[in-house]
Amino acid sequence: MHDIIKARTERTRWFSDARFGMFIHWGLYAIPARGEWVRSVERISNEDYQPYFAEFNPTRFDPKAWARLAKEAGMRYAVLTAKHHDGFCLFDSALTDYKATNTPAGRDLVREFLDAFRAEGLKVGLYYSLLDWHHPDYPHYGDRNHPMRDDPACGNGNRDFNRYLDYLHGQVRELLTNYGKLDIIWFDFSYDDMAGETWRATDLVRMARTLQPGIIIDNRLESGGESYGSIVTSSPTYYSGDFASPEQMVPPAGMTDENGDPIPWEACMTLNDHWGYCAADHHYKDARMVVRNLVECVSKNGNLLLNVGPDAKGEIPEESVKILKEVGRWMAKNGESVYGCGGSGLPKPDWGRFTCKGNTLYAHVMEENVNAYLLDLLPEQVEKVRLLANGAEMSLSRPWNAVTIKDKSFFTFWGQSFPLPDETDTVVQLTLK
Ligand code: GLC
């Protein structure tokens, strides 16, 4: 096996077992409350964005409550935006004044996040935006995304991109040096020719691997959320990353490289339709949809990084809290079919999905059937069957009307096929021989 792939497989072992994480998008944009792209979408100048900096005072910021919620939801890791595209830093960087410690918040919010989540036993990661709409040396006029992209007065004549790169590398060094062991660094994102060595990616990754030997790095030094970079090829670059990061979608057949070898991947998804807090967006996925999305990811060997966008006061929106607690109730009884699990190799059944761990197959029943549930397994392959949530024995006998289907297994819910015991996802645990 290619050395890069071998090292990646080793590093990502805990990550692929964890399967479920919390993404947290939080920054000044929580005040305008129209999502984290507000500066770009509305072409807001630095000056017009400055009042939010002067005002930022999240008096109800309680990272311990965030961490407890993540844990209760069954999440095993979390990733916080240390800096998003607007350039505002939640951490106390020595390289800029544009940071939380200089706002009324007056604290290093990254440090408090890390302490709180580690205390709950969760793995921790930081998101760092490669784009920076505040830094004077980042391209303005003519850039694809910059708030000042259409303003010829913001030409790039005096801008020195190398100076920006020194800043970017310096800040990443701060994050990887001053905050103890980090499990993930999540760079975001590359576009057009702003990719790979344009970020001095080899140096950046070499630094990360030196300062934090075990750290897991995403693939966005080469790509955005819609493409994957060289991680999907048979010759990934040194900075191709440890996992692919499909955004707002689950890849139809999971992810493999050109040789058909599996690639670690993590679908990142919003809970409503925005990453950063958006006061008017109440279009939330319900707990059932979240669970089913998570199970879909696992059935295709992937992770789900589910986002919350705390508000300007520092609180995770109530709707999100409610959904995550409900997800947590399902996870408390059925998490065994998620953690450390992956795809089964069996085709997707009509009524749901399969996940698998060793010789245990988990049948995730999401749709009622009129009769017994048919498995594409020989009867002698299945040793026993239990309802995962309560350990109750279920029947493996072939129904009377299926006498002609001799070479298949069946399970039934004590003769009744509806309603299902758990309409979110009823998990049937099958021990295989
Ligand atoms: C996109 C967006 C960004 C978000 C990220 C999460 O790249 O630019 O706002 O942080 O996706 O995956």
Side-chain angles (χ1 to χ4, degrees):
M1 206 185 342
H2 204 295
D3 279 355
I4 289 182
I5 299 179
K6 207 169 144 204
R8 180 179 86 197
T9 309
E10 283 299 314
R11 269 196 299 270
T12 52
R13 215 168 288 275
W14 73 261
F15 178 76
S16 297
D17 280 352
R19 290 300 185 217
F20 193 25
M22 175 181 271
F23 215 172
I24 308 174
H25 277 70
W26 195 44
L28 298 182
Y29 42 78
I31 303 175
R34 300 190 290 279
E36 79 291 352
W37 271 73
V38 64
R39 263 207 72 189
S40 172
V41 173
E42 301 178 17
R43 292 168 167 72
I44 301 174
S45 68
N46 260 326
E47 296 66 46
D48 290 341
Y49 199 62
Q50 193 58 21
Y52 305 128
F53 178 84
E55 181 184 325
F56 188 62
N57 193 13
T59 48
R60 289 197 288 277
F61 170 58
D62 179 1
K64 293 192 182 113
W66 293 5
R68 278 195 303 270
L69 178 65
K71 179 123 188 220
E72 188 180 339
M75 293 158 157
R76 294 255 161 118
Y77 62 102
V79 179
L80 170 72
T81 51
K83 179 192 91 168
H84 205 269
H85 309 334
D86 66 0
F88 176 68
C89 299
L90 291 178
F91 64 107
D92 189 12
S93 170
L95 303 176
T96 183
D97 292 330
Y98 201 51
K99 55 183 176 181
T101 41
N102 290 341
T103 66
R107 294 139 69 182
D108 186 326
L109 304 167
V110 165
R111 191 175 299 285
E112 294 185 25
F113 156 79
L114 293 171
D115 289 346
F117 279 71
R118 285 182 185 132
E120 285 293 339
L122 300 168
K123 301 265 190 198
V124 288
L126 296 176
Y127 167 111
Y128 184 87
S129 172
L130 301 168
L131 289 68
D132 194 315
W133 300 331
H134 181 79
H135 199 285
D137 289 310
Y138 198 88
H140 288 42
Y141 181 58
D143 176 68
R144 177 131 64 115
N145 308 296
H146 199 284
M148 299 297 106
R149 59 191 170 277
D150 299 327
D151 186 353
C154 292
N156 300 316
N158 307 322
R159 305 190 198 283
D160 179 353
F161 190 62
N162 272 312
R163 213 155 43 194
Y164 172 64
L165 290 181
D166 291 343
Y167 174 79
L168 182 162
H169 282 236
Q171 285 206 317
V172 171
R173 178 178 292 279
E174 290 182 313
L175 291 172
L176 300 178
T177 309
N178 300 339
Y179 293 89
K181 180 172 182 279
L182 298 181
D183 301 295
I184 301 172
I185 180 105
W186 219 103
F187 295 114
D188 190 38
F189 61 86
S190 295
Y191 57 106
D192 307 331
D193 54 359
M194 304 293 271
E197 289 301 4
T198 303
W199 308 117
R200 294 193 210 136
T202 300
D203 285 354
L204 197 59
V205 171
R206 191 171 293 131
M207 171 170 69
R209 301 262 181 249
T210 307
L211 294 172
Q212 299 264 354
I215 203 163
I216 295 179
I217 307 176
D218 70 337
N219 65 332
R220 293 198 182 177
L221 284 168
E222 282 186 337
S223 76
E226 76 293 359
S227 59
Y228 302 117
S230 68
I231 195 170
V232 294
T233 68
S234 52
S235 47
T237 63
Y238 177 64
Y239 47 81
S240 56
D242 295 314
F243 65 92
S245 56
E247 183 168 327
Q248 305 284 36
M249 61 105 71
V250 180
M255 291 198 65
T256 49
D257 64 18
E258 285 168 348
N259 299 329
D261 290 323
I263 301 169
W265 61 269
E266 174 196 70
C268 51
M269 244 177 244
T270 50
L271 206 42
N272 53 3
D273 293 333
H274 290 81
W275 300 98
Y277 181 67
C278 181
D281 180 358
H282 300 287
H283 187 232
Y284 283 89
K285 298 166 184 66
D286 61 11
R288 186 171 98 148
M289 183 154 190
V290 170
V291 165
R292 290 178 176 200
N293 265 305
L294 172 61
V295 169
E296 180 180 353
C297 289
V298 177
S299 78
K300 296 173 177 177
N301 296 312
N303 288 21
L304 176 64
L305 184 66
L306 185 65
N307 184 72
V308 295
D311 64 22
K313 292 293 165 196
E315 287 189 306
I316 296 176
E318 265 172 47
E319 287 119 315
S320 305
V321 172
K322 188 168 165 280
I323 297 160
L324 292 181
K325 288 190 170 189
E326 236 176 286
V327 171
R329 276 195 288 279
W330 184 89
M331 286 293 281
K333 292 196 184 289
N334 299 289
E336 183 192 315
S337 65
V338 169
Y339 305 124
C341 292
S344 65
L346 294 169
K348 180 191 172 309
D350 289 340
W351 36 261
R353 297 191 182 272
F354 290 119
T355 59
C356 185
K357 176 165 51 193
N359 66 341
T360 309
L361 179 68
Y362 300 95
H364 295 259
V365 184
M366 300 170 184
E367 276 184 62
E368 291 149 355
N369 228 1
V370 283
N371 205 313
Y373 291 77
L374 180 111
L375 290 167
D376 206 1
L377 293 169
L378 298 170
E380 55 274 21
Q381 281 178 278
V382 185
E383 186 181 307
K384 60 177 186 177
V385 58
R386 302 282 182 268
L387 188 74
L388 181 61
N390 59 13
E393 182 176 36
M394 294 170 57
S395 166
L396 274 172
S397 52
R398 183 154 22 121
W400 67 272
N401 53 0
V403 276
T404 56
I405 312 175
K406 289 214 162 45
D407 53 348
K408 303 282 181 210
S409 301
F410 298 84
F411 64 84
T412 53
F413 292 98
W414 309 285
Q416 300 168 341
S417 56
F418 66 89
L420 287 168
D422 185 339
E423 60 167 15
T424 296
D425 171 4
T426 299
V427 186
V428 177
Q429 177 195 42
L430 296 135
T431 307
L432 306 184
K433 280 181 201 150

